[in-house]
Amino acid sequence: MPQYKVAIVGAGPAGYFAAQALQNLQTADLSFSIDMIERLPTPWGLVRSGVAPDHPKIKTVSKVFEKVATTEGFSLYGNVELGTDISIEVLKAKYDAVVIATGSALGKKLGIPGEDLPGSISAAEFVPWYNGHPDFAEFKPELNCETAVVIGAGNVAMDVARMLALEPTELDETDTALHAIDALKNSLIREVVISARRGPEHAAFTSPELRDLPKLEHTNVWMSKAEIDAAIVRAGDAPEKDVKSNLDAMLLIAEREATNHDRTMHFHFLATPKEIKGNGRVEEVVFQKTGTNETFSIKCGLVITAIGYEADAITGIPFEKGKVVNTDGRVAENLYVVGWAKRGPSGVIGTNKSDAAAVMNLLLEDLKEPKPDFDFTSLITTNKVISQSHWESINAAEIAAGEPHGKPRIKAVSREELLSLGGL
Ligand code: NAP
């Protein structure tokens, strides 16, 4: 029976869904041996480092990943970096197929003056910081100010704003990194402005996230009824289903009786950022009222841009406009790409399932004679490799550490601590 060896680079949702699709394509006459390579000592990608910790239900998809990982023929090689510990050329030469599933980790830039001032950061730094990503353990967001401005009207902007505007004790029962809970408890931020360059009818939020906002118990959520009413008029009699659902959810927020908590999330639409100003650090953001020549500014000490992501380039793989150059997931001979690295940063976690399955069907069509077997560890330059069983030890230790505190887990943050929990 032919057995093909496939390397999947990146242990996030797209990588696991690609592995699952390959497992589903196996027959009595065809099987896959799948090696998943991940640069961090921990798998799950965005599910560990991206999803907001106050939304634990979204993380239950990790059960699917663990089922894939414990299916015969699957191996995890964590703490192994493509480009450092192994090259793409070696992978392509040894494996029958290589699948890139490395996501998009870099925050897009606004390209306006003042963007690099201290106090102006990207969600691509803030989100992994509060989620305990090892690369952001030393990151220090500016929380010593009254007002923060979040730029962007997507779900990431919403996550970031919520994390800043929540009563931080609400995070005690989550898996938010301990360093972030401490910092947020000391934060002086009481007003978080979410600014959107277009109107409410064009916001990229999804309605379940909007509908969750009125459930916040310690945060005022403010939207202007006049702004939402005007958007409903502009959207016309037959808006698309998603637009209508968003506008309905926003109207509910705008029409709610005002609450009087310490902390406020304030939505500001039709505000195009023009400049970030300040003397040595962020002091205000200057906006143009979209569609007019009018400008106005909001005083703040922290600006977080949440305007999308780009893939980080990997030597030997063609990148353009923040994505791997590909046609329907095919990159070059025996090289494929799935997930955000393929299509850009769009869609929810589940979107990657059908996306990866379609690419794995093409991979199947392209297969030739299986290549000879080999030993993966002889190809790499590191011996501190996290296997599935090492990861299971880390996972169990984190969950056990969280249990007495009513948390789903306490994340180990540094690589050293993670490796030691894994027994390495
Ligand atoms: P997104 O949904 O594409 O939103 C990006 C936002 O940034 C848009 O409002 C966009 O406005 C704005 N923007 C882009 N360039 C800008 C600029 N130069 N100036 C001002 N605003 C600018 O991206 P995202 O929030 O990063 O989310 C990525 C994906 O992950 C989305 O599919 C999202 O739904 C998903 N996600 C889901 C969840 C969840 O399900 N809970 C949580 C987080 C993320 P324009 O529309 O005007 O371009």
Side-chain angles (χ1 to χ4, degrees):
M1 170 172 89
Q3 191 189 54
Y4 290 95
K5 280 185 84 77
V6 178
I8 298 177
V9 185
Y16 278 104
F17 284 130
Q20 184 188 50
L22 290 174
Q23 290 171 347
N24 290 342
L25 286 170
Q26 295 184 118
T27 63
D29 300 321
L30 166 83
S31 72
F32 290 103
S33 156
I34 301 166
D35 290 348
M36 183 174 270
I37 299 162
E38 164 61 49
R39 79 178 186 89
L40 291 179
T42 54
W44 300 359
L46 263 195
V47 170
R48 182 173 167 102
S49 304
V51 171
D54 63 329
H55 279 171
K57 263 198 212 143
I58 300 180
K59 302 190 191 209
T60 53
V61 69
S62 58
K63 290 205 176 75
V64 175
F65 302 164
E66 288 307 283
K67 184 149 186 269
V68 169
T70 48
T71 298
E72 204 190 322
F74 181 101
S75 304
L76 175 68
Y77 296 101
N79 202 36
V80 176
E81 185 163 23
L82 179 61
T84 309
D85 301 312
I86 193 163
S87 71
I88 188 70
E89 288 75 24
V90 169
L91 287 181
K92 284 178 65 193
K94 293 288 182 185
Y95 284 87
D96 296 296
V98 179
V99 181
I100 301 297
T102 45
S104 342
L106 304 178
K108 276 193 189 148
K109 300 284 268 179
L110 280 168
I112 61 172
E115 191 172 12
D116 295 326
L117 276 173
S120 164
I121 62 174
S122 165
E125 300 165 294
F126 187 65
V127 172
W129 168 74
Y130 63 61
N131 276 324
H133 187 297
D135 292 354
F136 296 87
E138 303 305 321
F139 186 70
K140 298 241 176 321
E142 174 59 65
L143 302 174
N144 248 331
C145 53
E146 170 78 10
T147 304
V149 170
V150 179
I151 296 176
N155 285 334
V156 172
M158 175 96 87
D159 282 350
V160 160
R162 237 186 20 259
M163 287 298 288
L164 284 170
L166 278 171
E167 158 57 49
T169 51
E170 291 180 55
L171 298 173
D172 283 339
E173 291 185 1
T174 70
D175 65 1
T176 309
L178 296 183
H179 62 234
I181 296 187
D182 279 353
L184 290 165
K185 283 186 175 168
N186 290 317
S187 162
L188 300 184
I189 293 173
R190 292 296 176 268
E191 181 171 45
V192 183
V193 180
I194 302 188
S195 66
R197 62 178 169 181
R198 297 197 283 164
E201 72 279 28
H202 293 120
F205 310 125
T206 50
S207 62
E209 275 59 39
L210 286 163
R211 284 179 199 282
D212 270 350
L213 290 178
K215 296 179 196 155
L216 294 178
E217 287 179 20
H218 304 282
T219 309
N220 311 314
V221 180
W222 192 89
M223 284 191 194
S224 147
K225 174 143 165 40
E227 264 188 336
I228 309 301
D229 284 342
I232 291 171
V233 171
R234 287 194 298 269
D237 291 339
E240 277 178 30
K241 197 168 149 252
D242 289 350
V243 174
K244 175 160 180 1
S245 179
N246 266 8
L247 289 172
D248 286 349
M250 291 194 223
L251 192 60
L252 278 180
I253 295 170
E255 285 180 337
R256 273 177 91 217
E257 202 173 313
T259 50
N260 191 21
H261 304 295
D262 265 8
R263 296 158 200 268
T264 302
M265 264 171 92
H266 181 138
F267 288 77
H268 206 120
F269 292 97
L270 297 170
T272 302
K274 286 289 165 194
E275 184 173 2
I276 300 173
K277 283 181 157 175
N279 189 5
R281 42 161 296 160
V282 169
E283 287 172 14
E284 63 180 316
V285 185
V286 180
F287 291 96
Q288 183 169 21
K289 200 165 175 229
T290 308
T292 74
N293 288 327
E294 230 177 279
T295 59
F296 64 97
S297 82
I298 299 178
K299 301 257 180 244
C300 61
L302 173 67
V303 177
I304 305 186
T305 44
I307 60 167
Y309 293 84
E310 291 180 338
D312 206 353
I314 299 171
T315 311
I317 298 174
F319 280 82
E320 199 177 73
K321 295 187 181 149
K323 292 186 277 187
V324 174
V325 179
N326 74 91
T327 306
D328 299 330
R330 284 182 170 121
V331 181
E333 200 200 335
N334 84 343
L335 184 61
Y336 302 83
V337 62
V338 292
W340 281 11
K342 166 186 174 243
R343 64 177 197 278
S346 66
V348 292
I349 286 168
T351 312
N352 294 300
K353 187 168 172 165
S354 50
D355 180 276
V359 181
M360 293 308 100
N361 284 333
L362 299 181
L363 181 156
L364 179 70
E365 273 175 26
D366 298 344
L367 286 172
K368 302 190 173 81
E369 280 299 298
K371 292 182 181 173
D373 213 356
F374 60 90
D375 171 22
F376 179 80
T377 49
S378 69
L379 304 179
I380 52 176
T381 54
T382 168
N383 56 7
K384 298 231 166 184
V385 179
I386 294 280
S387 66
Q388 178 64 20
S389 77
H390 294 131
W391 157 241
E392 284 170 11
S393 302
I394 298 173
N395 196 22
E398 288 189 339
I399 292 170
E403 221 240 311
H405 304 278
K407 294 173 185 281
R409 68 176 64 235
I410 292 181
K411 283 180 188 166
V413 175
S414 72
R415 281 175 183 268
E416 295 68 34
E417 195 185 349
L418 286 162
L419 292 176
S420 126
L421 288 182
L424 290 177

